[in-house]
Amino acid sequence: MIPAPLCAAPSLAADPWRSDPARILGIRPEVPGVQTYDLEFRDPRVRDAYRFSAGQFNMLYLPGIGEAAISISSDAVTPGVLAHTVRGLGNVTHALARLAVGDEVLLRGPFGRPWPVAELTGRHVIVVGGGLGLASQRTAIYEFARRRDDFASVTVLHGAKTPDGLFFTAEYDAWRAAGIDVRGTVDEPDASWGGPVGLVTDLFATLAIDPTRAAVLCCGPDPMMNAVARAAAAIGIAGKDVYVSLERNMACAVRHCGLCQFGPHFVCQDGPVFAYEKIASLLAVPHL
Ligand SMILES: Cc1cc2nc3c(=O)[nH]c(=O)nc-3n(C[C@H](O)[C@H](O)[C@H](O)COP(=O)(O)OP(=O)(O)OC[C@H]3O[C@@H](n4cnc5c(N)ncnc54)[C@H](O)[C@@H]3O)c2cc1C
């Protein structure tokens, strides 16, 4: 059990260094090696004050082990329970995987520029997620589903290497029922797979949209995001209408340590969501 803070401040936003204990309410396996953790702040005042927007992330802190940036993957209208979908990769994420329901972590946030959902009204919205990238977009998808009539169309293109790498497939039916065109595609199908085979970029040519009224929200590996921007351009979507969410090693989350510096930008606060044209030249630099 993590001890109660000596002095409980009511607002997280007032102190970005402040971490608050949050209890694990539930753990759901998603795909092999990835689980979703539902977290609830222990202090009801912190819980009530906390708000976030689609595409933002929290810093999950395990004392004595470290802190990791993790996107919030739940619906922003229920900020009392915060989902984080995590791949066991290194120190923090493997330690998290050893915790159980009822254990506590420390959480600070939310951080980062969100997806520009408010600017998308009336447009064709194309969400493109590569593997776990879809976690940073799920909050936005919930909002698009709820406000579907505010958009000309909403399409989710989700790509993975194999069918068991596709995320949130149990929710596809609900998203479709809300009027969202959801398509998963895989590179390597197995016997059970009856959907498209190939890259998400292959699906762009099939989109029945007015490209001058379209916007793309993309999250995945850098080469995929470059390819998606090219595929969008090929059907007439301007670079200014393509948004990408970057993943970089991160430590402070308050543009102080420089670990996430990306050219002149700090991914923690200038991003993680950027207009593609703003960072296209930097994304072309290998390993930046
Ligand atoms: C904005 C943002 C959102 C994110 N959202 C999510 C999310 O929703 N879900 C998610 O799972 N991840 C997410 N990430 C990624 C996550 O923050 C990183 O994977 C983080 O490093 C995990 O922390 P860790 O301590 O478990 O891993 P680390 O111990 O930091 O290890 C991370 C990687 O570095 C390698 N590594 C570690 N130490 C060394 C070393 N000494 N030498 C060489 N390589 C090393 C590891 O093998 C591993 O591949 C996000 C990142 C950002 C920036």
Side-chain angles (χ1 to χ4, degrees):
M1 173 74 84
I2 295 163
L6 293 176
C7 170
S11 165
L12 287 178
D15 181 1
W17 297 107
R18 177 193 157 119
S19 289
D20 281 276
R23 198 164 63 91
I24 301 177
L25 289 186
I27 303 175
R28 281 187 305 285
E30 298 288 355
V31 308
V34 181
Q35 308 191 91
T36 293
Y37 301 82
D38 289 331
L39 304 178
E40 179 189 62
F41 284 113
R42 183 205 291 166
D43 184 337
R45 290 170 301 170
V46 175
R47 203 183 305 154
D48 292 346
Y50 185 96
R51 295 288 179 277
F52 73 98
S53 299
Q56 289 192 295
F57 64 93
N58 285 319
M59 298 300 290
L60 263 53
Y61 174 33
L62 300 182
I65 297 171
E67 231 183 354
I70 303 292
S71 302
I72 309 161
S73 62
S74 47
D75 197 332
V77 297
T78 53
V81 178
L82 299 165
H84 297 77
T85 303
V86 184
R87 186 185 306 281
L89 195 66
N91 291 335
V92 174
T93 51
H94 278 139
L96 194 60
R98 291 192 289 273
L99 298 184
V101 171
D103 287 340
E104 288 191 336
V105 302
L106 288 162
L107 192 157
R108 79 189 161 96
F111 295 105
R113 272 181 205 272
W115 296 109
V117 173
E119 294 164 33
L120 304 177
T121 302
R123 299 169 73 179
H124 297 279
V125 180
I126 305 150
V127 176
V128 190
L132 183 53
L134 198 67
S136 88
Q137 301 168 315
R138 188 166 68 159
T139 305
I141 295 171
Y142 289 140
E143 186 167 346
F144 297 143
R146 209 171 23 255
R147 297 177 38 219
R148 171 63 189 83
D149 291 345
D150 292 348
F151 309 96
S153 67
V154 180
T155 306
V156 174
L157 307 178
H158 184 33
K161 193 169 176 195
T162 55
D164 70 0
L166 291 172
F167 281 83
F168 313 130
T169 49
E171 298 182 49
Y172 280 17
D173 285 347
W175 296 348
R176 286 181 179 130
I180 298 177
D181 177 7
V182 185
R183 305 191 222 169
T185 181
V186 301
D187 302 342
E188 299 169 13
D190 59 21
S192 70
W193 182 248
V197 175
L199 304 173
V200 280
T201 46
D202 299 340
L203 301 174
F204 270 71
T206 68
L207 297 174
I209 55 160
D210 170 1
T212 64
R213 292 171 54 215
V216 175
L217 313 183
C218 181
C219 185
D222 289 2
M224 175 210 155
M225 295 198 287
N226 281 322
V228 164
R230 284 195 300 273
I235 63 164
I237 302 175
K240 69 176 176 48
D241 294 323
V242 176
Y243 298 88
V244 296
S245 183
L246 296 189
E247 189 181 309
R248 290 293 182 276
N249 280 337
M250 207 169 266
C252 73
V254 291
R255 62 181 310 133
H256 190 73
C257 72
L259 193 62
C260 70
Q261 198 159 357
F262 185 59
H265 311 292
F266 290 79
V267 173
C268 62
Q269 296 219 333
D270 301 326
V273 174
F274 291 92
Y276 180 75
E277 66 177 9
K278 192 170 176 183
I279 53 152
S281 60
L282 296 168
L283 265 184
V285 180
H287 311 301
L288 184 65

